[in-house]
Amino acid sequence: MQSLHYNVAIIGAGVAGLTAALVLAKQGLKVAVFDSQGPEKRSFGECVHGNIAPILAKLNLLEQFEQTGHFALQGYQIEWDGAGEYERHLLTSPHGTGWILNRSAFDKTLFLQAQQAGVEIFWHARLHDLKLQGEKWDLVIKHDDGAHSSVTANFAIDASGRARVLTRKLGVSEKKADTLIACCSYLQHSAKHSMFAKKAIIQSDQYGWWYLVPFSSSQSSLCYFTDTDLSIPKSADALLEMANTHSALTQYLTACEPDKTTPFKIVPAYSSSLASYFGKRWLALGDAACSYDPLSSYGVTSALGSAFYGASALLKYFNNEPQYLGVYQQLMQARFLDFLEQKDIEYSKVSHYQSAFWQRRKVA
């Protein structure tokens, strides 16, 4: 069994994990990131508000981000509350409209920056077991080829998203606000397609809501959000067929077809929070700490912010100032509570459907 030692071991090579690794490695810490998937994993494109710019600037990534080719978000086309189509932001930002991310390009940027900073990234490597032994963690990492690695680390970070691979093994309690899932597919279309007003399309329906957005000259993301116990499309073709029952979506779906090179996915999208975001020699970041309803467009921005401030607090911890981990938690909890209030306001605007999905989201 291979034996390795690091100052910090991070579970999850998503936005939060790679960002935290980058911050820590730039300050001289030896950092490893373990991810159960491979570098070819693809996340679906999404919108980010303009308030992502300040945190990108703190990470020295803003200039590169602006040159990567992400679409400038020109607005949301919405049919939400039964009053017809209109344009606005569901949750506005004082920093401007924002961007439509090409997630593949964005994730690659973070990966390369972390790698250049000296972060060791292990793909197809999942956390099998861990135990705190005095002042360090003993972790067993299982690789897809069946091999195991023995890893020791002074500190462990859960950045595995809603899967919460590390904190669930530690028995940290969590609270879910709902059972929302996302049924997602990439679409292929012509570069001359009418989609390229560079808008995000949001459409409510009887059992959930739709999200459609272009993120490159030939690809868009189509997602349907509903609850786990309601009717769920089982394929990209079924998803597209369902979307075409809405006139507000059909006008943008003409000549679109599912991208056969990317698998149809059904993934968790619920809002949730851990009871605590840190403990003895561990810390949770991004969706592993608290996850946001995609309606907010908070996901990537929150992951970046959480990773930056969490990693900064951890640097203070290593400098014998552990109280900053508590400051990090207070910051995250305040933001999450504010989000829950805003989320309830948005969902309460939909009163023309009487299905279980919308009844569950009525504010008491």
Side-chain angles (χ1 to χ4, degrees):
M1 182 183 290
Q2 185 181 19
S3 183
L4 304 166
H5 177 75
Y6 300 94
N7 298 120
V8 182
I10 299 176
I11 307 303
V15 172
L18 290 177
T19 301
L22 175 61
V23 172
L24 296 169
K26 281 186 173 181
Q27 296 303 312
L29 296 184
K30 188 178 181 183
V31 182
V33 180
F34 302 91
D35 197 283
S36 61
Q37 300 185 64
E40 70 284 352
K41 68 177 182 176
R42 300 185 71 180
S43 300
F44 286 85
E46 58 190 276
C47 298
V48 294
H49 292 162
N51 59 4
I52 196 175
I55 193 65
L56 286 171
K58 288 178 182 292
L59 293 164
N60 295 316
L61 294 174
L62 181 57
E63 183 176 354
Q64 185 173 359
F65 176 85
E66 291 175 336
Q67 295 173 354
T68 301
H70 305 293
F71 285 171
L73 177 64
Q74 296 182 0
Y76 290 88
Q77 186 68 43
I78 302 164
E79 188 166 319
W80 185 249
D81 55 11
E85 287 189 10
Y86 53 96
E87 288 197 18
R88 70 177 180 89
H89 294 288
L90 288 182
L91 297 172
T92 58
S93 162
H95 299 279
T97 57
W99 293 269
I100 302 171
L101 286 187
N102 182 326
R103 275 301 299 274
S104 294
F106 184 71
D107 292 350
K108 185 177 180 180
T109 295
L110 286 177
F111 167 71
L112 291 175
Q113 290 292 318
Q115 196 175 50
Q116 289 170 14
V119 177
E120 295 184 39
I121 302 171
F122 297 85
W123 299 108
H124 303 290
R126 65 186 68 245
L127 178 63
H128 180 68
D129 197 12
L130 79 161
K131 183 181 295 185
L132 186 61
Q133 301 278 22
E135 300 299 306
K136 63 181 177 65
W137 288 98
D138 287 341
L139 302 94
V140 178
I141 303 296
K142 185 176 181 180
H143 304 272
D144 279 3
D145 62 4
H148 290 73
S149 294
S150 176
V151 175
T152 58
N154 302 106
F155 210 94
I157 290 178
D158 193 343
S160 61
R162 290 176 175 87
R164 295 180 171 131
V165 172
L166 190 151
T167 48
R168 285 179 182 170
K169 286 184 180 296
L170 297 178
V172 182
S173 62
E174 59 188 276
K175 184 176 182 180
K176 297 180 182 178
D178 50 68
T179 62
L180 193 71
I181 56 172
C183 308
C184 305
S185 176
Y186 280 141
L187 300 180
Q188 290 279 6
H189 46 73
S190 164
K192 296 180 180 180
H193 193 273
S194 61
M195 183 77 72
F196 292 94
K198 298 180 182 177
K199 296 183 297 185
I201 316 302
I202 296 175
Q203 164 79 48
S204 64
D205 82 359
Q206 181 76 6
Y207 302 106
W209 58 278
W210 294 88
Y211 170 83
L212 175 64
V213 65
F215 62 90
S216 77
S217 61
S218 60
Q219 290 182 306
S220 296
S221 289
L222 175 65
C223 298
Y224 180 58
F225 298 92
T226 187
D227 286 334
T228 53
D229 61 339
L230 302 178
S231 180
I232 299 170
K234 299 299 195 297
S235 68
D237 289 329
L239 183 73
L240 187 56
E241 183 178 350
M242 281 181 61
N244 271 309
T245 63
H246 296 280
S247 58
L249 296 175
T250 299
Q251 61 179 310
Y252 297 105
L253 295 173
T254 304
C256 288
E257 61 182 25
D259 176 9
K260 301 301 183 182
T261 66
T262 305
F264 169 75
K265 290 184 178 181
I266 299 177
V267 295
Y270 53 78
S271 304
S272 65
S273 177
L274 288 178
S276 179
Y277 301 159
F278 75 98
K280 188 175 182 181
R281 292 190 174 270
W282 67 265
L283 178 68
L285 301 174
D287 282 350
C290 52
S291 62
Y292 293 90
D293 189 306
L295 185 64
S296 67
S297 295
Y298 280 179
V300 169
T301 305
S302 175
L304 285 169
S306 169
F308 176 80
Y309 291 110
S312 297
L314 184 52
L315 290 169
K316 294 283 190 180
Y317 170 91
F318 280 116
N319 196 36
N320 297 316
E321 297 178 277
Q323 68 271 22
Y324 282 93
L325 293 175
V327 174
Y328 160 75
Q329 173 158 289
Q330 291 172 6
L331 177 70
M332 290 287 289
Q333 287 179 331
R335 182 171 178 80
F336 186 70
L337 290 174
D338 179 65
F339 149 76
L340 289 177
E341 182 178 344
Q342 294 295 319
K343 178 177 73 75
D344 287 346
I345 290 172
E346 292 302 334
Y347 275 110
S348 68
K349 293 175 181 177
V350 180
S351 58
H352 56 300
Y353 298 121
Q354 301 303 314
S355 68
F357 180 87
W358 297 103
Q359 290 295 317
R360 292 165 182 166
R361 286 159 176 81
K362 282 188 174 180
V363 179

